[in-house]
Amino acid sequence: MSFESARMQLIKPSPSIAISTAANAMKAAGEPVIDLAIGEPDFDTPGHIIEAAYASVKRGETRYTAPDGTPELKDAVIEKFRRENGLDFARENITCANGAKQVLFNALMATLEPGDEVICPAPYWVSYTDMTLLIGGRPKVVECAIDEGFKLTPEKLEAGITPQTRWLFLNSPSNPSGAAYTADEFRALGAVLARHQRVLVLSDEIYEQIWYADTPFTSFAEACPELADRTVIANGVSKAYAMTGWRIGYAAAPASLARVMSKVQSQSTSNPCSVSQAAAIAALTESQDFVAEARVEYRARRDLVIDGLSRIEGIEVLSPEGAFYAYPSVAAFMGCKTPTGEEITGDTVLTQYLLQAAKVAGVHGAAFGSSPSIRFSYAQSREHLTTAVGRLAEAFDALK
């Protein structure tokens, strides 16, 4: 007997988690696998954040809160947007959830009708399309090539919009490519959106603090204030503060939409963890030294990985402007054969080969709607990254 509904059959488990699980199984069996598949900081959560959580428990703050977050957490989010993005919001604009992923899900659940289209510029984060399908919408994938910097152009946006378009996903800096939009690039997209009043914008800015570009980070809402009444800015503490397991995301949205998103959450998971909310307040309001120090380390890791990958004949890779991913094109290796005679027919096969031959786990580009490429996370120690790049070079060199 199958217990899986027709809707559930449309979606797949997270590819990065599936590959990381396979890598962990190999490690448990004694194989020296280096896991570059999972998008998770390797740092511990800063001590002052942990202490804030402990103090919250000691105060007895272990009960239900409002579904969309405590007033104190909302105030911390408001101050963050004011301090770092020059954006002014009220509590009624802020909604907090169990991770930024739930923020995105709540926004789609609150607004999508069956058949509504959601534009997903590819390469996209793997959950965008599956969330859309799960809710009854239709993903509209618009591929953005490596020679376009993996970024959506105004021309492609205009061509992708139909009367059924309800949302546009933007992700800057991007998972998986690390590409980031400038203020002018956002404004050019905003000029297109201004002509299409029904289209809402979901700007995923979870990697905002992991930033390497010479120009400052710009939020979509900062670049296009005229679209504020149909823009949701999604963010969270997971990546910037090494708090993936604490599960706190937040968003700024039009007040009427924020209320509906809260209603969705009230009937799904109730409120975010009360203790995690206290930790997130400390993360957002207290010392930001960790963020700055981590950024320096990520930059060094980026340079190490991009330099190493660039030296591999056949690899084409852009230097990421943010996040902690390298996303090389592996088109030159399609049709090659492994030492055992297996043909590389796609990036899925190539990723499996690299896991077995190089003992390095990455995520195939097909998972992100953009092939043939592979995503490698460099949220690992420089020692592991140096070893991984060396192994990858040998494995690629062995292809015929």
Side-chain angles (χ1 to χ4, degrees):
M1 175 186 295
S2 174
F3 296 97
E4 191 172 38
S5 68
R7 180 172 291 180
M8 286 302 299
Q9 292 172 17
L10 296 173
I11 69 171
K12 56 190 178 298
S14 168
S16 56
I17 293 176
I19 293 166
S20 188
T21 299
N24 286 334
M26 292 174 66
K27 284 194 282 188
E31 300 193 56
V33 173
I34 297 176
D35 185 0
L36 305 186
I38 200 72
E40 181 173 49
D42 62 325
F43 303 114
D44 292 330
T45 303
H48 70 280
I49 297 174
I50 295 172
E51 289 300 321
Y54 178 63
S56 171
V57 173
K58 293 280 284 184
R59 291 193 299 268
E61 296 172 359
T62 56
R63 295 174 173 80
Y64 292 130
T65 72
D68 58 351
T70 64
E72 294 79 11
L73 177 55
K74 289 188 176 187
D75 287 346
V77 171
I78 289 168
E79 173 57 20
K80 181 269 174 211
F81 278 122
R82 186 202 63 76
R83 180 182 71 239
E84 297 177 358
N85 307 111
L87 298 170
D88 291 319
F89 296 107
R91 284 182 183 173
E92 64 182 6
N93 299 116
I94 305 301
T95 179
C96 304
N98 295 281
K101 180 181 282 190
Q102 189 176 34
V103 166
L104 304 177
F105 187 90
N106 289 349
L108 296 178
M109 177 65 79
T111 54
L112 285 183
E113 299 288 356
D116 278 350
E117 293 177 351
V118 176
I119 295 178
C120 301
Y124 50 72
W125 182 47
V126 296
S127 292
Y128 294 159
T129 52
D130 280 347
M131 285 182 183
T132 300
L133 289 168
L134 188 60
I135 294 168
R138 292 186 297 178
K140 180 78 172 285
V141 176
V142 178
E143 187 154 359
C144 306
I146 191 170
D147 60 4
E148 297 168 314
F150 293 124
K151 291 186 277 190
L152 182 66
T153 65
E155 295 76 18
K156 286 190 172 182
L157 173 58
E158 185 71 66
I161 294 174
T162 74
Q164 287 73 49
T165 305
R166 188 59 170 148
W167 281 101
L168 164 66
F169 265 114
L170 293 172
N171 182 202
S172 179
S174 162
N175 175 5
S177 72
Y181 291 88
T182 66
D184 286 343
E185 288 169 336
F186 270 150
R187 282 191 279 265
L189 297 176
V192 175
L193 295 165
R195 299 192 291 271
H196 299 276
Q197 296 294 319
R198 186 174 185 268
V199 182
L200 308 175
V201 181
L202 223 170
S203 186
D204 181 351
E205 301 176 5
I206 189 70
Y207 292 97
E208 169 191 356
Q209 299 288 3
I210 305 171
W211 182 259
Y212 319 115
D214 293 333
T215 55
F217 171 83
T218 301
S219 169
F220 180 83
E222 185 181 1
C224 301
E226 70 280 6
L227 300 178
D229 62 345
R230 47 193 172 109
T231 296
V232 174
I233 303 298
N235 210 320
V237 299
S238 292
K239 311 297 183 179
Y241 302 97
M243 294 177 67
T244 51
W246 297 80
R247 308 311 305 135
I248 295 293
Y250 56 83
S256 57
L257 176 52
R259 284 194 296 272
V260 185
M261 291 168 66
S262 175
K263 182 163 71 172
V264 172
Q265 187 158 295
S266 72
Q267 293 296 356
S268 58
T269 63
S270 297
N271 59 276
C273 170
S274 60
V275 178
S276 294
Q277 289 187 66
I281 292 170
L284 294 171
T285 62
E286 296 181 14
S287 171
Q288 302 297 299
D289 289 350
F290 169 81
V291 175
E293 293 164 3
R295 186 184 299 120
V296 170
E297 177 60 22
Y298 285 133
R299 181 191 290 270
R301 295 174 180 186
R302 178 202 64 172
D303 294 345
L304 185 161
V305 170
I306 297 302
D307 179 68
L309 291 176
S310 298
R311 294 174 186 272
I312 300 174
E313 185 177 356
I315 288 283
E316 182 181 8
V317 63
L318 301 181
S319 183
E321 296 166 287
F324 39 62
Y325 307 106
Y327 194 64
S329 169
V330 291
F333 300 95
M334 297 301 102
C336 290
K337 290 190 176 180
T338 70
T340 60
E342 181 181 13
E343 183 178 357
I344 302 298
T345 56
D347 53 27
T348 302
V349 174
L350 181 55
T351 302
Q352 292 168 346
Y353 161 71
L354 294 174
L355 179 58
Q356 296 301 321
K359 301 294 186 280
V360 176
V363 184
H364 49 286
F368 307 102
S370 178
S371 290
S373 298
I374 300 177
R375 189 194 79 174
F376 295 111
S377 167
Y378 49 85
Q380 290 281 349
S381 71
R382 288 188 233 180
E383 179 183 2
H384 283 162
L385 293 173
T386 299
T387 302
V389 170
R391 291 184 190 172
L392 289 172
E394 292 179 3
F396 278 113
D397 187 58
L399 294 173
K400 301 182 177 66

